[in-house]
Amino acid sequence: MVRTHSAQTEVQVHSHPWAQMVFSEHGTVRVQADRKMFTVPPWSAVWIPAGTLHLAVVAQEATLIAVHLLTDPGGRQDQGGWKVCQVLQVRPLLRELVKAICEDEHGALPSERYANVVELVMIELRTAPRIALGISMPEDKRLRSVCEAFLADARQDRALAEVARSAGASVSTINRLFQSELGCSFAGWRKQVLLARAFALAAEGSSVSHIAMDLGYSSVSSFSYMVTQLLGLPPSKVLGRQR
């Protein structure tokens, strides 16, 4: 399915009996599912297992492509890798194959060719690289208040103590809640928030140097190190694709 959405379009919470892979031709979409928020740039997709409650927000005007699957790519031998939401890299071949399937909505593909294209899509899906994207959201009110404050103003140089006081908790309590509720440190969680914000700024046309400054990094090199550490690619490669 191919749909074009205007900026700030919200898709309310829902689920469906099929699995789904969603990516955009252009623009950025945020998907929330499994107590995580995924900011998905055009070169990647979010995988949503069947029966998973999720919602989506289109940050900028975007053309979204959704692939519906009645079976997981891993088949019966899958050990659960496709049972959780995750972000996949959409390589050029997979992108073009999916676009070819979309033509079938208009009866453009002969049935034999359609079946062959679908099989190739499944092969590409099984081997699609996973990307470490996803912002976990807690249930504890104090920790959620802290997380929402950082989501509203994502900066590397913003002190945790300042936000913790506003939430009525000490820094040590907040650090303990990050580990017990989300299974990560505050620093690790914040990197995901900064990365998501970087994607949004890149989609607006900001350069790498301006993004680093907006996110409160002392230098472009320190920002580049963070991106490379998480994604295995420097910002010039990752954010350049987004623009």
Side-chain angles (χ1 to χ4, degrees):
M1 296 176 60
V2 182
R3 298 287 185 270
T4 298
H5 298 278
S6 57
Q8 303 308 315
T9 296
E10 296 187 13
V11 180
Q12 298 302 312
V13 176
H14 66 286
S15 66
H16 28 66
W18 55 80
Q20 181 172 271
M21 180 185 76
V22 182
F23 66 92
S24 67
E25 275 281 76
H26 64 86
T28 302
V29 61
R30 293 194 299 271
V31 176
Q32 187 167 330
D34 279 349
R35 291 178 60 190
K36 279 192 174 184
M37 185 171 66
F38 303 92
T39 299
V40 187
W43 52 271
S44 63
V46 62
W47 171 262
I48 305 170
T52 302
L53 286 171
H54 60 282
L55 61 85
V57 177
V58 179
Q60 293 91 18
E61 180 177 329
T63 298
L64 301 184
I65 299 176
V67 182
H68 298 168
L69 297 96
L70 297 179
T71 181
D72 293 338
R76 295 181 180 179
Q77 304 304 315
D78 180 49
Q79 298 300 311
W82 296 96
K83 304 301 183 185
V84 296
C85 291
Q86 58 192 299
V87 177
L88 310 174
Q89 181 181 337
V90 181
R91 292 178 291 201
L93 178 57
L94 178 57
R95 178 181 296 272
E96 294 306 314
L97 287 169
V98 169
K99 289 165 68 175
I101 288 179
C102 293
E103 296 175 6
D104 193 63
E105 289 185 338
H106 310 289
L109 289 181
S111 58
E112 183 179 356
R113 184 184 173 210
Y114 176 81
N116 290 333
V117 171
V118 167
E119 182 57 31
L120 286 172
V121 166
M122 298 299 282
I123 292 171
E124 284 297 297
L125 263 178
R126 291 184 195 109
T127 59
R130 271 60 169 176
I131 304 173
L133 291 176
I135 302 169
S136 300
M137 296 300 291
E139 292 183 352
D140 183 271
K141 291 183 179 179
R142 295 165 297 175
L143 184 58
R144 193 171 188 90
S145 175
V146 169
C147 291
E148 289 175 348
F150 272 100
L151 285 170
D153 184 14
R155 291 183 59 85
Q156 164 69 16
D157 56 358
R158 193 174 184 198
L160 175 59
E162 168 198 341
V163 186
R165 280 195 302 270
S166 300
S170 66
V171 171
S172 59
T173 296
I174 294 300
N175 281 326
R176 177 174 51 79
L177 287 171
F178 266 107
Q179 291 292 345
S180 62
E181 283 228 9
L182 302 181
C184 66
S185 65
F186 165 68
W189 181 88
R190 181 172 57 183
K191 287 178 182 178
Q192 290 289 340
V193 176
L194 294 171
L195 191 59
R197 179 60 181 156
F199 285 137
L201 291 171
E204 296 170 2
S206 295
S207 66
V208 171
S209 59
H210 279 100
I211 293 172
M213 180 176 64
D214 286 347
L215 295 183
Y217 279 87
S218 58
S219 66
V220 175
S221 60
S222 58
F223 170 66
S224 297
Y225 176 78
M226 185 274 289
V227 174
T228 304
Q229 185 184 42
L230 290 181
L231 301 182
L233 291 171
S236 58
K237 297 285 188 182
V238 177
L239 302 180
R241 292 179 185 178
Q242 173 73 336
R243 290 199 302 275

